[in-house]
Amino acid sequence: MLSSAPATATKMQALGKFSQHHHLQAFQEHIRVPLSTGAASPCMRPTPRRGVRLAASSTEVSESETAAASSQNASKTALGTCYGTIDFEQIDEIPVEVEGKIPEWLKGTLLLNGCGDYTVMKHMFDGFALLHKWRISEEGVFTSHRFLQTEAYKHYKATGKLKWKEFAASPEGSNVFTNIVLFASMGLFGKQATTDNASVSVIPFGGKVLAVSEPKTAAFEIDMDTMTVVEQMAPDVKGDTVTAHPFITEQGDIINVASDFAKGYTVYRQNKSTFECEEVGFVPLQAPFVASWIHDFPATNNYAAIVETPCNINFSALMLETPSEYGMMKWNPDACTFVHLVPLKGEGKVRTFRCPTFFNYHFGNAFESEDGKRFCFDVAMYKDLKTLVDNRLDVILEGGNDMAESMLCRIEVPLEGDGGVLKWEPLVKPEMHGKYCDFPTINDRFRGKKHRYVYMTGASRPTCNGNCLVKADVEEGTCKVWNRGYLAGEPCFVEAPNPTSEDDGVVISSCMGPDGTTSLVILDAKTWEEVAVAKMPYGIPARFHGHFFGQE
């Protein structure tokens, strides 16, 4: 049950609007493409084409240089595999070919989550959850994949139809009447009204491994060996959704944010042993039914920040089925972004700040300054919602679109005094990473501490997908860029034994080659040179997030 000992934010008065001047300035036989796109169907097990693979490159980028030296837009084969449907499961592990030499100490399992079936879908975020595993051992590298057996997926496989709404796709025949009946049934009879399609993240928590997404129902304990469902793990909190990126405290508990689209945002703590939830703080909406999409949030052991951008839930699209280019979202460019700082240890009140308008999916690390006066966090920042349009399947499968610009920024929130106006500063020049970055990660040992290095995806433009892996040195303001012509997945840092520096280890990433096959790329985190590539004989649709479980 949810107990309550919340701090509560006071509504700000006469906040006003920020002008446009404050916006960002820097700125196969087993594969099927959704039929609505009209794109050709590439082969999931393609015949390798000689001469397709580009030479790997790792480049240090200075202020005067740019990472966008040449056109690197993805092949139709790669895009069709990334955003198509894989119609078989590889339940038993198979060995894969390895180029290069994997460090002897690197042993464990990278378990990734993402979508695997886009047949009846409209958006990158719609597809049904597919777990993909890379296992590295003394015997070699092995891979397997399996669909997550949720009620949403089982209903689709039995009927060929959606049971619930996904991000942009609705069940056949959905209208205002059916939606009202569905949500009324949830309130009156406890009937499930939201999808349980847990397609976003993999979270280790309390000795369990969880596959999660944003609907509260989309949380499952899974058996990592078999990739099967053990039980549903929906948190007992008030609200409609939770973020897909909970923060794990030094005690091992979860801190997360639940959004009630009518009332506000609840910060809660979930106990690692009992799995019970306790309310820590509450932030009311700036106006009733004007709820922001909260996909992620920055936190330390002492504070959590709710960053309320003007990307709002679109109730017209959600309930009335009104067509929207942003799926279930809408954009209010004249509104500012709010940052609500919530203390996690029961002392102090929630404090609210404003900053110029931006949008983001993901935050990087957060930490408190050495003098204890500032809460600092990194963010992969976009100026508007163009990125949501870019990620529609009809747009992305066309292949000619150049993706929205973003940059790595830092926001510092004072821990003393009243709320006010915050500023953001780019940590590296956006040109160094192709004016695109996302999926920022760090060495987990520095989580909640001041860090020097950020690992993220970047771009060699023009491109409709992130196609580089980037190491940003935020102290020196420089970047190293790896570009092999692959579509790049989320980078994961794995620290070496007995490390001598913050970047002593490797970065691993599941990437898509131009020929539509998936590879595990392993880079030396210090030099950013390619160490090894493990190449599968077929392709897996694009992954979102994962976790590396080291071999004990």
Side-chain angles (χ1 to χ4, degrees):
M1 292 295 293
L2 183 74
S3 59
S4 177
T8 304
T10 304
K11 288 212 178 254
M12 299 184 68
Q13 303 296 320
L15 290 171
K17 297 180 179 179
F18 272 55
S19 70
Q20 298 291 330
H21 174 73
H22 295 280
H23 285 172
L24 308 187
Q25 303 297 315
F27 285 80
Q28 337 152 296
E29 78 232 35
H30 291 294
I31 186 76
R32 298 192 307 278
V33 176
L35 298 178
S36 61
T37 66
S41 298
C43 179
M44 190 58 160
R45 299 182 188 270
T47 301
R49 292 178 291 169
R50 298 186 183 277
V52 167
R53 189 171 62 196
L54 303 180
S57 66
S58 178
T59 307
E60 180 131 17
V61 185
S62 66
E63 283 192 16
S64 61
E65 294 174 317
T66 171
S70 62
S71 172
Q72 297 291 338
N73 223 327
S75 69
K76 287 295 183 82
T77 300
L79 290 175
T81 306
C82 271
Y83 305 106
T85 294
I86 185 167
D87 62 5
F88 74 99
E89 296 180 310
Q90 185 62 53
I91 296 173
D92 296 324
E93 292 183 340
I94 59 171
V96 298
E97 177 185 344
V98 177
E99 300 175 4
K101 183 175 175 56
I102 297 175
E104 292 183 0
W105 57 264
L106 181 61
K107 295 179 178 66
T109 296
L110 177 63
L111 184 62
L112 299 163
N113 203 350
C115 301
D117 191 328
Y118 284 105
T119 306
V120 295
M121 304 305 188
K122 297 180 178 180
H123 199 277
M124 179 195 295
F125 302 152
D126 279 337
F128 289 111
L130 178 81
L131 297 173
H132 178 211
K133 181 165 62 175
W134 292 97
R135 185 173 67 83
I136 306 171
S137 71
E138 293 179 354
E139 291 76 30
V141 179
F142 301 83
T143 191
S144 54
H145 69 272
R146 193 170 195 168
F147 280 98
L148 191 64
Q149 295 296 311
T150 63
E151 290 303 315
Y153 181 68
K154 289 187 286 188
H155 177 85
Y156 166 70
K157 292 300 288 184
T159 66
K161 299 178 180 179
L162 296 180
K163 185 172 185 177
W164 295 293
K165 287 179 178 292
E166 298 299 336
F167 182 83
S170 296
E172 185 177 322
S174 290
N175 55 51
V176 61
F177 176 74
T178 60
N179 290 334
I180 290 174
V181 170
L182 180 63
F183 283 96
S185 298
M186 178 178 67
L188 295 174
F189 308 113
K191 183 178 179 180
Q192 185 172 329
T194 56
T195 184
D196 62 352
N197 182 23
S199 62
V200 177
S201 300
V202 173
I203 307 295
F205 175 50
K208 302 177 184 291
V209 178
L210 307 184
V212 302
S213 187
E214 294 179 14
K216 291 190 299 181
T217 48
F220 294 89
E221 180 189 357
I222 56 175
D223 182 309
M224 192 169 70
D225 292 331
T226 63
M227 294 181 287
T228 54
V229 170
V230 177
E231 63 175 327
Q232 194 173 37
M233 295 284 292
D236 184 13
V237 293
K238 298 176 182 178
D240 302 296
T241 62
V242 296
T243 86
H245 297 282
F247 175 79
I248 308 296
T249 69
E250 58 187 2
Q251 293 80 24
D253 297 334
I254 271 181
I255 299 294
N256 208 351
V257 178
S259 297
D260 183 318
F261 297 160
K263 298 178 181 178
Y265 316 100
T266 298
V267 178
Y268 67 92
R269 177 182 287 106
Q270 189 170 14
N271 186 278
K272 67 177 181 180
S273 300
T274 66
F275 301 101
E276 293 184 351
C277 299
E278 175 187 13
E279 183 176 331
V280 177
F282 180 76
V283 176
L285 302 180
Q286 299 300 319
F289 295 98
V290 183
S292 291
W293 178 24
I294 309 294
H295 176 73
D296 191 6
F297 68 103
T300 65
N301 287 300
N302 296 316
Y303 299 93
I306 299 174
V307 179
E308 195 177 12
T309 74
C311 171
N312 302 129
I313 305 300
N314 186 338
F315 286 97
S316 179
L318 182 65
M319 297 300 295
L320 304 181
E321 301 294 334
T322 304
S324 169
E325 63 178 341
Y326 303 129
M328 287 194 298
M329 306 300 163
K330 63 181 179 180
W331 180 245
N332 182 4
D334 294 326
C336 64
T337 291
F338 295 93
V339 177
H340 309 282
L341 192 64
V342 181
L344 298 179
K345 296 188 175 179
E347 298 179 359
K349 63 179 182 178
V350 176
R351 297 162 63 236
T352 296
F353 302 81
R354 293 176 294 165
C355 65
T357 299
F358 67 85
F359 170 72
N360 74 289
Y361 298 112
H362 301 115
F363 296 96
N365 189 35
F367 62 93
E368 293 148 45
S369 61
E370 293 180 359
D371 60 10
K373 294 183 178 181
R374 300 180 308 283
F375 174 85
C376 311
F377 62 90
D378 297 348
V379 53
M381 183 182 290
Y382 299 80
K383 66 178 181 180
D384 55 29
L385 277 194
K386 178 183 182 297
T387 175
L388 276 188
V389 178
D390 291 344
N391 290 330
R392 286 185 354 214
L393 295 181
D394 60 342
V395 174
I396 203 167
L397 287 169
E398 185 65 26
N401 182 52
D402 200 19
M403 66 194 307
E405 296 182 2
S406 59
M407 57 185 178
L408 183 67
C409 293
R410 178 165 295 170
I411 296 176
E412 298 188 354
V413 183
L415 295 176
E416 300 175 353
D418 296 328
V421 178
L422 304 175
K423 298 179 180 180
W424 45 258
E425 295 290 340
L427 290 171
V428 294
K429 289 187 177 298
E431 293 80 7
M432 294 181 181
H433 50 73
K435 295 186 179 180
Y436 164 78
C437 68
D438 216 318
F439 300 99
T441 60
I442 64 163
N443 179 339
D444 270 346
R445 186 162 57 87
F446 287 79
R447 186 71 55 192
K449 305 173 185 177
K450 188 175 182 180
H451 60 283
R452 177 172 179 175
Y453 301 109
V454 178
Y455 311 102
M456 57 192 185
T457 55
S460 181
R461 292 183 182 272
T463 181
C464 58
N465 264 84
N467 55 6
C468 299
L469 292 171
V470 178
K471 176 186 180 181
D473 183 334
V474 300
E475 287 187 4
E476 297 293 331
T478 60
C479 288
K480 291 182 178 179
V481 177
W482 178 88
N483 177 17
R484 192 174 180 169
Y486 285 25
L487 300 181
E490 176 186 53
C492 176
F493 179 89
V494 183
E495 191 167 54
N498 306 311
T500 58
S501 63
E502 181 183 332
D503 59 350
D504 192 355
V506 297
V507 166
I508 58 179
S509 175
S510 192
C511 300
M512 174 67 64
D515 61 357
T517 59
T518 297
S519 295
L520 182 67
V521 174
I522 304 174
L523 304 180
D524 184 312
K526 281 189 175 182
T527 66
W528 215 235
E529 294 294 329
E530 187 178 297
V531 173
V533 174
K535 185 174 181 179
M536 293 172 56
Y538 58 92
I540 292 286
R543 306 292 80 203
F544 293 140
H545 304 283
H547 187 86
F548 184 79
F549 298 84
Q551 180 177 308
E552 297 181 359

